[in-house]
Amino acid sequence: MSSVEEFRTEIRGWLKTHLSGSFAALRGRGGPGREHEAFAERLTWERHLAAHGWTCVGWPKQYGGRGASTAEQIAFHEEYALADAPARVNHIGEQLLGPTLLDHGTEEQKARFLPPIRAVGELWCQGYSEPGAGSDLAAVRTRATLTDGRWVVDGQKIWTSLAHEAQWCFVLARTEPGSRRHRGLSYLLVPLDQPGVEIRPIVQLTGTSEFNEVYFDGAVTDAANVVGAPGDGWRVAMATLGYERGVSTLGQQVGFRRELDALVALARRNGAAADPDIRDRLTRAWAGLEALRAGALRGTDPSAAKLYWSHWHRDLGELALEVCGPAATLAAAAPYELDDWQRLFLFSRADTVYAGSSEIQRNIIAERVLGLPKEPRP
């Protein structure tokens, strides 16, 4: 048996043993559009994972990880999803900030921030998008000034996932007055539990609130809490986005497979599969998911992968309502209780916007991958 198969067998057995007792009820809980589900219990579960060495498996051993290879990390995420284990609450810290600090942080920053991430003692959120700088992230206007050994931060971030549960935020801010676009930005680590921070949840189409507005009004953080050099924040921020679209997406695809299989089963039960158009679209969805997996294993360009999976998932949500028929227009119960297919349809509308809108991904592919001329700017 190869080391990867041994690793896969180990995590599969551990999950089978530990997703039991009080944790058994957490199977399938949480995830996009459902982050409100059993959050405290999922946090307890994640700390249980940490206590047994199953967080940050890809980190080097010297920083508390298992030093797992890429193939082993793929195995972990796939087995976690196949076990229907609850959605992770520490994804942003473990999968985004942690790798960023490993590659770009100082040893002091690693010593301060990595252990609480691995132990799930501190939760993080991502302070990138702003009302006027969402897809066009280089238009960031949140500013920070270094004063008396501290960065003083003023501005507004929006669509900040799980900010209402987080203790820290990594913030892209303009630290060089008069700078424009990609220049003069810095990547700051900012504590949220302080007077200069206000967090306002945003109610979504699903009726839930996992995104937030975050206002900084004289918020402060230590001068040492800048990752990379001041003014070099764009490079660090882009590195973080690359980690966001890494091997954990293989686990995401297992979730997609579960949704597709359930939809096929529903179409067979309610007779929708008798419609040739529905059968054709279900077949195309299956083929698309196979292409997604093949691309992920080959290492598809991150922008191309994001563009493809987000449209695939949005289309699956639309297909789900077609399969459900007229009943899909009715809420399950008052005042606004949604079933899984309605929630999938509504929340997947955001898939092509968050983590980089489709329009921006197309520009990146055209300019950086294909070498086409840049889009004209005023």
Side-chain angles (χ1 to χ4, degrees):
M1 182 183 293
S2 70
S3 61
V4 174
E5 287 305 311
E6 290 176 353
F7 190 87
R8 185 183 292 275
T9 299
E10 182 184 1
I11 180 58
R12 182 187 298 160
W14 189 90
L15 288 168
K16 183 177 180 180
T17 299
H18 289 262
L19 266 176
S20 58
S22 60
F23 291 134
L26 295 179
R27 290 180 182 270
R29 305 298 296 276
R34 300 168 58 190
E35 292 290 1
H36 62 289
E37 294 180 346
F39 189 89
E41 293 83 357
R42 287 162 50 216
L43 180 59
T44 300
W45 160 254
E46 190 127 352
R47 288 171 175 164
H48 184 72
L49 281 174
H52 289 80
W54 287 113
T55 55
C56 310
V57 295
W59 291 13
K61 292 182 179 180
Q62 70 187 92
Y63 295 110
R66 284 179 173 250
S69 66
T70 298
E72 288 171 334
Q73 292 176 61
I74 290 172
F76 172 83
H77 290 294
E78 288 185 333
E79 291 300 326
Y80 191 89
L82 286 167
D84 205 19
R88 305 288 296 275
V89 301
N90 193 33
H91 168 78
I92 296 174
E94 178 176 329
Q95 299 293 334
L96 277 68
L97 180 64
T100 302
L101 291 178
L102 287 169
D103 286 346
H104 301 280
T106 65
E107 287 305 316
E108 291 76 15
Q109 289 170 344
K110 295 173 187 177
R112 164 62 185 86
F113 294 110
L114 292 182
I117 293 174
R118 194 204 64 78
V120 200
E122 292 175 341
L123 300 181
W124 286 80
C125 60
Q126 180 181 29
Y128 277 17
S129 295
E130 300 181 4
S135 296
D136 186 13
L137 185 59
V140 159
R141 290 184 294 178
T142 292
R143 62 191 184 279
T145 305
L146 191 57
T147 305
D148 297 328
R150 299 189 301 179
W151 294 101
V152 181
V153 185
D154 293 280
Q156 178 188 358
K157 297 295 181 178
I158 198 167
W159 311 121
T160 312
S161 299
L162 297 178
H164 60 297
E165 301 286 359
Q167 290 80 48
W168 285 82
C169 182
F170 49 94
V171 177
L172 189 63
R174 195 163 296 283
T175 52
E176 296 180 7
S179 62
R180 297 183 69 251
R181 305 297 300 165
H182 310 87
R183 301 180 184 277
L185 299 170
S186 296
Y187 190 109
L188 306 177
L189 311 178
V190 182
L192 296 180
D193 186 14
Q194 58 171 303
V197 177
E198 181 183 0
I199 298 171
R200 301 179 187 174
I202 300 171
V203 179
Q204 301 150 200
L205 284 172
T206 53
T208 57
S209 300
E210 60 194 59
F211 298 130
N212 302 267
E213 295 176 283
V214 182
Y215 294 84
F216 298 99
D217 184 9
V220 298
T221 192
D222 291 343
N225 288 343
V226 55
V227 182
D232 194 30
W234 184 259
R235 182 177 65 90
V236 180
M238 292 303 99
T240 300
L241 290 180
Y243 307 131
E244 183 177 20
R245 299 159 189 166
V247 296
S248 64
T249 59
L250 271 297
Q252 177 193 53
Q253 290 174 26
V254 174
F256 289 171
R257 172 76 63 189
R258 187 177 291 113
E259 289 174 339
L260 177 58
D261 289 346
L263 188 59
V264 170
L266 174 62
R268 287 171 173 162
R269 287 197 308 271
N270 71 4
D275 184 328
D277 179 62
I278 294 293
R279 287 202 308 273
D280 179 71
R281 291 168 68 185
L282 287 169
T283 302
R284 289 177 182 273
W286 176 87
L289 191 53
E290 290 296 308
L292 262 177
R293 176 173 172 75
L297 292 174
R298 288 177 55 194
T300 298
D301 174 79
S303 290
K306 167 57 172 63
L307 183 67
Y308 192 79
W309 77 250
S310 61
H311 282 260
W312 182 93
H313 201 223
R314 184 199 63 186
D315 293 346
L316 186 72
E318 295 177 353
L319 177 55
L321 293 201
E322 293 284 344
V323 170
C324 290
T329 62
L330 301 176
Y336 190 62
E337 183 179 329
L338 303 174
D339 64 26
D340 289 343
W341 302 119
Q342 291 167 328
R343 187 178 292 109
L344 168 64
F345 169 75
L346 291 173
F347 195 86
S348 63
R349 313 307 295 175
D351 285 352
T352 58
V353 179
Y354 71 77
S357 73
S358 294
E359 292 78 8
I360 294 299
Q361 300 312 314
R362 290 189 179 97
N363 280 351
I364 292 173
I365 294 167
E367 296 173 8
R368 302 181 190 175
V369 179
L370 301 178
L372 298 177
K374 291 192 174 184
E375 181 180 19
R377 297 184 182 275

